Amino acid sequence: AKPGAGGGEAPREFTFDSVYDQRATQSGIYEETAYFITESVLGGYNGTIFAYGQTGTGKTHTMVGVPNDGEVAGIIPRAFQHVFKSIESSPQQQ
């Protein structure tokens, strides 16, 4: 039986950190969701950004976007740019 489908189990509750609609920008999503994870990775912590959802809902667009177009670049190219800029500006370059 499915969890919460009448088998005596209590319904499950789910929480979301954020939900975005069609007006959300790639830069806004990065700043609100991935920027701090990338900063933590630069500080030595593990970080995961996971896109989950129904087919056709924009996961690939959000994660990849158009990599060489600054405004519509997704989370992955923005995180790479973030990491490389941090390395570039680090006083401990080798």
Side-chain angles (χ1 to χ4, degrees), residues 59-88:
K59 297 176 299 296
T60 300
H61 178 71
T62 300
M63 294 303 290
V64 180
V66 180
N68 295 323
D69 186 332
E71 183 53 37
V72 290
I75 288 174
I76 294 169
R78 288 174 191 273
F80 284 167
Q81 183 179 37
H82 185 158
V83 168
F84 286 114
K85 279 186 177 179
S86 177
I87 293 168
E88 212 172 70

Side-chain angles (χ1 to χ4, degrees), residues 3-4 10-16:
R12 295 184 181 184
E13 291 186 24
F14 299 92
T15 60
F16 299 92

Side-chain angles (χ1 to χ4, degrees), residues 12-23:
R12 295 184 181 184
E13 291 186 24
F14 299 92
T15 60
F16 299 92
D17 292 328
S18 301
V19 176
Y20 299 95
D21 65 14
Q22 67 275 11
R23 295 175 299 226

